[in-house]
Amino acid sequence: MNTTRPCGCKGHRSCLVCEKEYGIKPVFSYDNLPTKYYQINGDNSELEKLGFSGIHIVTDFISEEEERKLIEDIDVIPWDKSQSGRRKQNFGPKANFKKRKTKLGDFKGFPKSTQFIQERFSTIPLLESYRTVEQCSIEYTPDTGACIEPHIDDCWIWGERIVQLNLLSSTYLSLTPYKGDKTRYNLQDVETYPRIIENNKVVYNPFKEPTNSNSESSKVPPYPLQNGGNENTNVIVKVPLPPRSLLVMYGSARYDWEHFIIREDISKRRVIIAYREFTPTYLPGGEKTEIGEEILKEAENFFEESAENSENISLPVKQLII
């Protein structure tokens, strides 16, 4: 069905609600692929041989009490229907992915209740110089069969490090090698700007050394795309995400593997807060630094949310997979 349905799904995406109502069959199935599990703080050498790396998990990034209060505050803000059984809250600039253009739009910053999370990013060495420009709350529930299809976050605007805070329940982030065309996710752009992380260390900080400077640190090469790693690699890697854990995804996991959530891995209500940074194109010295500076300035703001003023909170419309 190519029409938008009352549940929020459209095109080939579906949830339990519209599958029952319209007799739709889910498109994605990975029952026949071998599965390997990522070990938090364990030996992942077998996965590295498959070309898989670029995962960092911080367990108990927030406390149970912080989680309880955070969910309470998030639920004050209106939820919007999304696709595949999800609900969402988006805070960030408007992005037109077909025209590859972005603008400030109605973006006024982020909810005050989430400020402490971004401030705590400074305790994670891999998040040096991380400046959030988009923050998305995403809800998954088993009642709707919530999931998210395999994808790579678009690479013309969103930078190397994708960050997620997992809340309320455990699940798995699944990944499988991407072997398609580079143009699908604008992966060709990755070859035009410096990589941020190498050997699990930040090697390029655009706020210290702009992209167009002549310093040694600004001459960091791009990330070398593997385009799915070994041609014979046909596997699902499952990364465990405990409640209150922070995931940082970069390098191979970010660019060479599609990531997704299957509905069978959602047993209880799950909320994640996902964070994105700009590519160097929008950062100091980049080709589009002017609009980048305007958006980054607004991203320094945090607004108070409450039941009384929730109707006045503006959530910008996005054209992206979340």
Side-chain angles (χ1 to χ4, degrees):
M1 295 184 66
N2 293 321
T3 57
T4 300
R5 302 181 281 279
C7 56
C9 298
K10 60 183 178 180
H12 63 269
R13 298 183 178 91
S14 64
C15 65
L16 288 179
V17 175
C18 62
E19 287 168 11
K20 180 179 180 180
E21 183 174 355
Y22 297 102
I24 299 171
K25 293 184 178 180
V27 173
F28 299 100
S29 176
Y30 296 88
D31 295 340
N32 297 323
L33 290 182
T35 300
K36 296 185 181 296
Y37 290 86
Y38 179 88
Q39 303 296 320
I40 299 178
N41 300 322
D43 181 7
N44 291 293
S45 57
E46 183 179 357
L47 297 180
E48 292 173 3
K49 292 178 182 178
L50 298 176
F52 181 83
S53 62
I55 292 291
H56 180 66
I57 297 175
V58 182
T59 56
D60 295 317
F61 185 71
I62 66 173
S63 68
E64 290 188 24
E65 176 56 27
E66 287 173 327
E67 178 187 46
R68 184 199 64 77
K69 184 63 168 62
L70 185 59
I71 291 296
E72 181 181 290
D73 292 333
I74 286 175
D75 280 337
V76 168
I77 303 171
W79 286 93
D80 291 335
K81 290 180 180 179
S82 186
Q83 300 193 62
S84 303
R86 307 186 304 276
R87 295 197 302 170
K88 64 182 180 179
Q89 300 168 345
N90 285 348
F91 305 95
K94 284 189 175 181
N96 187 317
F97 288 83
K98 291 183 178 180
K99 296 182 178 180
R100 292 167 56 103
K101 291 183 178 180
T102 187
K103 62 181 180 179
L104 187 63
D106 297 327
F107 179 45
K108 300 297 181 183
F110 309 108
K112 181 73 173 178
S113 61
T114 65
Q115 183 174 359
F116 79 99
I117 302 170
Q118 292 194 34
E119 291 176 345
R120 201 169 292 178
F121 285 173
S122 64
T123 65
I124 309 299
L126 284 178
L127 294 181
E128 175 191 334
S129 77
Y130 193 90
R131 296 281 297 277
T132 300
V133 293
E134 183 178 73
Q135 175 179 308
C136 305
S137 302
I138 310 169
E139 179 195 63
Y140 294 77
T141 59
D143 292 345
T144 58
C147 62
I148 190 165
E149 294 75 16
H151 67 284
I152 295 174
D153 289 39
D154 204 288
C155 300
W156 71 270
I157 185 170
W158 307 134
E160 179 171 352
R161 294 167 293 186
I162 303 297
V163 181
Q164 295 183 2
L165 179 63
N166 191 59
L167 303 170
L168 293 181
S169 64
S170 297
T171 191
Y172 286 98
L173 179 71
S174 297
L175 300 99
T176 192
Y178 177 65
K179 301 178 182 179
D181 193 276
K182 292 180 182 179
T183 60
R184 182 177 180 187
Y185 301 112
N186 287 310
L187 281 164
Q188 73 279 1
D189 284 28
V190 177
E191 299 173 326
T192 68
Y193 48 71
R195 66 189 304 172
I196 299 296
I197 296 175
E198 185 174 13
N199 296 325
N200 300 319
K201 292 182 179 179
V202 173
V203 294
Y204 177 63
N205 183 337
F207 296 99
K208 289 184 178 180
E209 302 291 349
T211 303
N212 63 358
S213 75
N214 294 319
S215 67
E216 289 301 318
S217 59
S218 69
K219 297 177 183 178
V220 175
Y223 174 78
L225 294 171
Q226 299 176 32
N227 196 29
N230 191 309
E231 293 182 358
N232 297 319
T233 300
N234 196 21
V235 66
I236 291 179
V237 173
K238 282 185 172 288
V239 177
L241 299 176
R244 300 175 298 282
S245 64
L246 188 79
L247 166 73
V248 183
M249 183 167 60
Y250 58 94
S252 175
R254 163 73 172 99
Y255 294 128
D256 299 318
W257 296 65
E258 291 181 302
H259 61 276
F260 54 103
I261 300 287
I262 64 173
R263 62 175 53 162
E264 289 80 6
D265 287 334
I266 300 297
S267 58
K268 298 179 181 178
R269 186 191 186 202
R270 176 209 182 212
V271 172
I272 72 160
I273 305 180
Y275 298 87
R276 296 182 177 95
E277 64 179 342
F278 272 145
T279 59
T281 303
Y282 289 89
L283 300 178
E287 295 179 5
K288 299 181 179 179
T289 184
E290 185 173 344
I291 181 63
E293 287 178 356
E294 180 183 8
I295 293 170
L296 284 169
K297 183 64 177 177
E298 206 64 44
E300 296 176 358
N301 299 325
F302 291 87
F303 59 82
E304 295 284 353
E305 69 275 34
S306 68
E308 288 73 23
N309 66 19
S310 62
E311 293 183 357
N312 297 321
I313 295 175
S314 178
L315 302 182
V317 175
K318 293 293 184 300
Q319 300 180 42
L320 73 162
I321 297 175
I322 63 167

